[in-house]
Amino acid sequence: MPYIITSLCTNDGACVEVCPVACIHTTPGAPQFYIDPEVCIDCEQCEIVCPVDAIFKDIDIPAEHGASIEVNAAFFRKNKAAVGPVSFDKAWEMISAAHDYAQIMGMAVTAAVVDEAGGPIAVGRMNGAEARTAELAFNKAYTAAAFHVPTAELVPQARQPWLRSLAISHRGRFLPAGGAIPILDGVTIVGAIGVSGASRPEQDILCCRAALAILEGHGH
Ligand code: SF4
Ligand code: SF4
């Protein structure tokens, strides 16, 4: 039961800031923002902040805005790239970049890359990294892929009821701790990288950024 943005939208972007799964997008020149019906988790945060009441749950949408259901879905059919997950070679390159950065900073970490569904593609544990960091890195990456946002953004919301119920449904793999970032191709999520082993989440995040930097200027 996704939420829908109607033509009442004035394009101010307020809803984008609060969406926990980053499923609200637009393109330059488009008349409004749109919600991806395949990703929306029905949390109603966008509806609450919209200053012009442009957002409705699909089953509650007024008849005069009924066409917006298809308009939102069509936007993503058109703009979501038909791309596959990160290749193993690219995932391994990212993991090596995360390791290189960690080594320079005197840390031993595990880095994990997953596909858009949270399935593992590659995991690399540096010499000296604790065994448990492998599971933690994977769980962080899984969480970033599932929620489409860096896991650090989920930390302040970890006690929210909607997030806790989702955590239960993800069978213990959900880990709202900083250190994982989704890998995007335009508005399409193609995977996520997670890192664990540094003494602070901020350092794990920097390892992720080092890994993502190798994608800049390259195809995934
Ligand atoms: S209902 Fe929640 S998940 Fe869906 S678009 Fe709005 S903020 Fe995002
Ligand atoms: S908050 Fe409302 S007006 Fe602003 S971009 Fe979102 S739907 Fe449009």
Side-chain angles (χ1 to χ4, degrees), residues 55-174:
I55 305 177
F56 300 88
K57 197 168 186 165
D58 60 351
I59 55 173
D60 298 328
I61 199 164
E64 66 269 30
H65 294 298
S68 293
I69 295 175
E70 173 55 19
V71 169
N72 280 240
F75 174 84
F76 289 95
R77 279 201 302 274
K78 178 181 174 194
N79 290 292
K80 265 188 175 176
V83 291
V86 180
S87 69
F88 172 77
D89 288 347
K90 189 60 71 180
W92 197 246
E93 215 180 315
M94 294 177 72
I95 286 170
S96 296
H99 287 181
D100 289 347
Y101 177 81
Q103 191 158 24
I104 290 167
M105 302 306 289
M107 305 181 293
V109 303
T110 296
V113 173
V114 300
D115 64 21
E116 74 285 1
I121 296 174
V123 178
R125 179 180 153 204
M126 292 173 70
N127 292 335
E130 291 181 33
R132 68 190 182 94
T133 59
E135 185 176 1
L136 293 174
F138 168 69
N139 286 349
K140 286 185 194 179
Y142 174 89
T143 304
F147 289 85
H148 293 205
V149 293
T151 45
E153 293 183 17
L154 295 170
V155 175
Q157 306 186 63
R159 292 184 175 275
Q160 295 287 330
W162 64 267
L163 199 49
R164 292 172 79 168
S165 63
L166 278 170
I168 293 166
S169 69
H170 284 266
R171 300 192 298 267
R173 285 182 290 178
F174 174 72

Side-chain angles (χ1 to χ4, degrees), residues 5 9-15 33 49-52 54-55:
I5 297 179
C9 173
T10 55
N11 258 338
D12 72 347
C15 52
F33 278 75
V49 301
C50 181
V52 294
I55 305 177

Side-chain angles (χ1 to χ4, degrees), residues 1-10 15 19 23-25 32-48 50 52-77:
M1 299 293 174
Y3 278 69
I4 305 294
I5 297 179
T6 64
S7 58
L8 297 172
C9 173
T10 55
C15 52
C19 179
C23 68
I24 304 175
H25 297 273
Q32 64 168 86
F33 278 75
Y34 307 87
I35 291 173
D36 187 343
E38 293 182 358
V39 181
C40 174
I41 58 169
D42 205 12
C43 74
E44 78 176 8
Q45 300 302 307
C46 55
E47 183 186 29
I48 292 168
C50 181
V52 294
D53 295 331
I55 305 177
F56 300 88
K57 197 168 186 165
D58 60 351
I59 55 173
D60 298 328
I61 199 164
E64 66 269 30
H65 294 298
S68 293
I69 295 175
E70 173 55 19
V71 169
N72 280 240
F75 174 84
F76 289 95
R77 279 201 302 274

